[in-house]
Amino acid sequence: MKNPPAMDHTLALIPAHAAGAPTPEVSAPPQVLSLPSAAQPWRYAWVYGRAVVASRWGPHRLWPERSRHYSAPVQIGARLARRWRALFDVPARATCAVPLLANQSVGTLMQARLFADLGLNLRHVQHLQHRTVHHASVAACAKARDQRLSCQLQRVLRLGEDRVLVQLQTQAAAADGSPLSTVEDGFIVDGLPAADLAGLHSDRALLLELLGLRRRLPRLSSTAGEALVSEMPVPGDMGRAYGRVSGDLGPEHLGSLGAWLCGLKRPCLQGLALRNLVVRHLAELGQPLQQLSLTFAGPAYLGEPLLLVVDGMSLEVHGAKGRLVAFGCCAAPA
């Protein structure tokens, strides 16, 4: 039986060609950086720690015109690749079927550079949306060990008097320069001075949809119809374990004190950790992974098992008592 058509189900990232604030000039070659990966823990901790201290306790402004374009090589060694597979329980025989974002630690540092360029304080930044498009085959992307990442600001949209949506784009290429994937991440940033938002394009429809996320209920049933369902365990220490392989060691993912300081009831899983968890279970369900979009509707609390529900190309992640954690879609090549 054919899958039913996809529901109008994902809060899509705004396309780069859509109307909006002027994007920075990207025709100039990117600034090439030499950045450590999580495979170099002490050097990485030093570079990441300095970036986090500066961004979490510095001023909070918005200067889109100051953003730059960065590039950096990434080498994913065998040991780091094994740690990624072990964290998400991916058997070695299934490596080529599960495209984990094992290059993320370098990507995290480049995003930190961009946030610093923009003048943002990370305490006011919330990961909202993620999209991955694999230009090469999923297997080629999963196997690529020598990559080059390129990261830049894609767009800034005004969402209110003190709030914007910041979209970043990260492109990955193989050692020979052939494109592997494009990753786009959208972040809600609040608490900004109104003067810094003057002249930015506003999207009222998107703002209303974002405000409705807190009240959004699941649309896919895990018990009725022909939906595919997969249980996704989330151990209590997964935030810390994921931070060690990805570099994303925000305090809200490490323990109760850090979560409380960030205004959360309990520590929660990183957004891209949830993305990789979803990818692993989509692969097990035999779903296409050439394109994946996710909107994070609520925190995925550590120690709380999740449920992945897939109906056609639409998917949802449910938490305890059916709470909607994320939604989106997966698709085969166009």
Side-chain angles (χ1 to χ4, degrees):
M1 179 180 293
K2 292 184 179 180
N3 285 332
M7 300 169 63
D8 181 12
H9 191 73
T10 188
L11 186 66
L13 287 158
I14 306 301
H17 61 270
T23 51
E25 179 61 46
V26 296
S27 59
Q31 179 183 348
V32 179
L33 305 174
S34 177
L35 298 172
S37 76
Q40 304 164 280
W42 292 109
R43 185 180 171 216
Y44 191 91
W46 171 250
V47 176
Y48 177 78
R50 290 177 63 190
V52 168
V53 169
S55 64
R56 286 186 178 267
W57 282 272
H60 186 50
R61 299 295 303 274
L62 179 65
W63 301 307
E65 68 281 358
R66 298 189 182 184
S67 70
R68 304 180 70 177
H69 184 192
Y70 296 109
S71 175
V74 184
Q75 186 173 48
I76 305 166
R79 183 171 180 271
L80 182 59
R82 286 196 300 271
R83 291 170 62 193
W84 272 86
R85 290 200 306 269
L87 179 60
F88 292 99
D89 193 27
V90 177
R93 65 181 180 276
T95 299
C96 294
V98 186
L100 302 173
L101 290 180
N103 59 26
Q104 191 201 333
S105 53
V106 172
T108 296
L109 292 180
M110 284 200 291
Q111 287 191 349
R113 288 266 186 135
L114 281 171
F115 286 137
D117 290 348
L118 291 168
L120 301 178
N121 185 307
L122 289 183
R123 290 181 293 173
H124 297 272
V125 177
Q126 178 185 351
H127 197 179
L128 176 74
Q129 301 167 312
H130 170 84
R131 179 166 63 196
T132 303
V133 177
H134 295 102
H135 307 298
S137 68
V138 167
C141 293
K143 290 191 300 182
R145 294 290 173 257
D146 291 301
Q147 304 181 18
R148 178 168 291 275
L149 299 186
S150 176
C151 190
Q152 62 187 317
L153 173 68
Q154 187 176 25
R155 192 152 302 276
V156 181
L157 291 171
R158 182 172 182 169
L159 299 177
E161 292 184 358
D162 69 342
R163 180 176 298 186
V164 297
L165 174 68
V166 173
Q167 293 178 200
L168 304 183
Q169 181 187 83
T170 304
Q171 295 179 314
D176 62 1
S178 58
L180 292 172
S181 62
T182 297
V183 172
E184 296 170 351
D185 290 290
F187 301 87
I188 292 291
V189 183
D190 60 14
L192 290 164
D196 289 358
L197 278 58
L200 292 180
H201 176 74
S202 180
D203 193 315
R204 180 172 175 79
L206 179 60
L207 173 60
L208 293 175
E209 194 166 1
L210 293 175
L211 292 174
L213 283 181
R214 294 181 181 179
R215 303 185 301 274
R216 188 172 181 132
L217 299 175
R219 299 178 182 177
L220 303 182
S221 173
S222 60
T223 57
E226 299 181 357
L228 302 174
V229 179
S230 182
E231 295 183 0
M232 302 193 302
V234 181
D237 63 348
M238 191 170 185
R240 190 179 300 274
Y242 182 73
R244 293 193 184 104
V245 300
S246 71
D248 186 354
L249 282 165
E252 64 271 31
H253 311 304
L254 305 183
S256 299
L257 177 59
W260 178 78
L261 291 173
C262 294
L264 296 173
K265 297 178 181 179
R266 294 158 52 191
C268 63
L269 191 62
Q270 295 90 332
L272 290 182
L274 178 59
R275 177 266 181 205
N276 285 289
L277 191 62
V278 167
V279 164
R280 180 253 184 269
H281 286 268
L282 285 173
E284 185 173 312
L285 293 173
Q287 298 303 294
L289 290 171
Q290 203 72 25
Q291 300 179 39
L292 173 70
S293 297
L294 281 176
T295 296
F296 306 113
Y301 292 118
L302 298 179
E304 178 183 301
L306 302 173
L307 197 66
L308 174 65
V309 184
V310 184
D311 192 350
M313 291 186 292
S314 297
L315 65 92
E316 289 183 348
V317 178
H318 299 172
K321 300 180 180 179
R323 179 177 60 90
L324 183 63
V325 173
F327 60 92
C329 62
C330 56

